[in-house]
Amino acid sequence: MNATQSLTARTGNLFHRYANPGRFLRMGAKLQPWLTWPALVLSLAGIVWGLFFSPADWQQGDSVRIMYVHVPTAWLASSGYMGLAVCSLLSLVWRHPLADLAAVEIGPVGASITAVCLATGSLWGKPMWGTWWVWDARLTSVLVLFFLYLGHIALIRAFDEPQRGYRAAAILGLAGAVDLPIIKFSVQWWNTLHQPDSITVTGAPTMSTSMLWPLGLTTLGFTLGFAAIVLARLRASVMESRVRTILAANRGRQSAAAAPQPDRATP
């Protein structure tokens, strides 16, 4: 076994430690309130601060307040699909059983948050650009991301055999990840109407701290909320899978008990 195979095996063993449904459900039950309640508090605090107490922009006026919903949803649209792509990798390489279920549950949540991103972007674009929609690189690539989510949702449910749907959707999930750097760098690569990023890793923010703080709260709150929703859906999916397994086993035992017994020859 070479070094690459050894590393893959060790990584797979680490991931599979948490593949046990009972262990996952116990961990998820402990983690759920630590995601849900901070998400509600931070999201509410950030939105109230941003909508009612943060200053209006000197150019955009009060319409800039849309960013307190638009920017977190834009961040989650891409990061949610990145999570879906990671689950696809875990499924294809390590055959992790929970990765397939997680991908199933991430898809609808990610599609919903991307739809909110597109809707709020249109609301913001109307007063700024004079139109609800423009086919520039950033908006078009996010629309493609929305269709990738929808395609993943449809494909994973398109087969009678679940495993075939999981494999096909995992391939789409990995292939669709190429859209993420296009979304990120579209403003730099092409001449677009969309404004450049106000927050970057390499530079200082270009917005006032009075706007940056509520935006940070809503972004963190929305992120925790996204994780809480996915975790709740995944826990429900795992429990449903366990119930189906138990019911199938019971039906098998009942069928075996009800089957006619072969006649025994009398001496």
Side-chain angles (χ1 to χ4, degrees):
M1 179 181 294
N2 58 36
T4 302
Q5 291 174 330
S6 177
L7 177 61
T8 303
R10 290 197 302 269
T11 307
N13 291 334
L14 175 63
F15 288 141
H16 278 276
R17 287 180 57 191
Y18 304 100
N20 180 273
R23 182 180 296 147
F24 169 78
L25 289 175
R26 288 192 296 272
M27 291 178 56
K30 294 178 180 178
L31 184 60
Q32 189 75 60
W34 291 98
L35 293 174
T36 304
W37 291 110
L40 292 173
V41 172
L42 292 173
S43 298
L44 182 61
I47 289 176
V48 171
W49 188 351
L51 293 183
F52 299 105
F53 298 102
S54 67
D57 186 73
W58 70 279
Q59 285 183 315
Q60 303 182 40
D62 286 326
S63 64
V64 76
R65 302 184 193 279
I66 300 175
M67 77 173 178
Y68 298 113
V69 176
H70 176 70
V71 172
T73 55
W75 148 256
L76 285 172
S78 294
S79 57
Y81 196 90
M82 177 59 70
L84 192 151
V86 170
C87 290
S88 300
L89 181 65
L90 291 175
S91 173
L92 291 174
V93 176
W94 289 286
R95 297 293 193 268
H96 197 291
L98 288 182
D100 292 322
L101 294 179
V104 172
E105 305 307 330
I106 290 174
V109 183
S112 300
I113 209 75
T114 307
V116 175
C117 171
L118 291 169
T120 53
S122 295
L123 290 173
W124 197 358
K126 178 61 175 177
M128 294 299 100
W129 304 332
T131 182
W132 297 103
W133 183 265
V134 291
W135 291 98
D136 79 340
R138 174 63 64 84
L139 275 69
T140 303
S141 55
V142 173
L143 181 63
V144 170
L145 182 67
F146 177 64
F147 289 139
L148 285 170
Y149 273 119
L150 295 183
H152 186 274
I153 294 170
L155 188 60
I156 209 168
R157 295 166 172 81
F159 296 88
D160 293 333
E161 184 181 349
Q163 291 302 320
R164 293 180 61 191
Y166 293 152
R167 298 289 86 77
I171 294 172
L172 175 63
L174 283 179
V178 72
D179 190 42
L180 298 181
I182 296 176
I183 295 173
K184 172 61 179 176
F185 298 107
S186 57
V187 177
Q188 288 79 24
W189 291 347
W190 293 284
N191 183 21
T192 69
L193 286 176
H194 199 285
Q195 68 185 48
D197 296 334
S198 299
I199 303 173
T200 61
V201 177
T202 56
T206 59
M207 67 171 60
S208 168
T209 55
S210 59
M211 295 180 177
L212 187 61
W213 277 104
L215 180 60
L217 288 178
T218 54
T219 301
L220 180 57
F222 279 32
T223 302
L224 293 176
F226 187 98
I229 293 172
V230 171
L231 178 60
R233 291 175 60 95
L234 183 55
R235 290 173 59 204
S237 179
V238 170
M239 287 187 283
E240 181 182 0
S241 179
R242 295 185 73 181
V243 169
R244 287 178 178 175
T245 301
I246 294 172
L247 291 177
N250 288 337
R251 285 195 296 267
R253 287 193 293 267
Q254 292 173 359
S255 298
Q261 300 296 323
D263 295 335
R264 296 182 178 179
T266 56

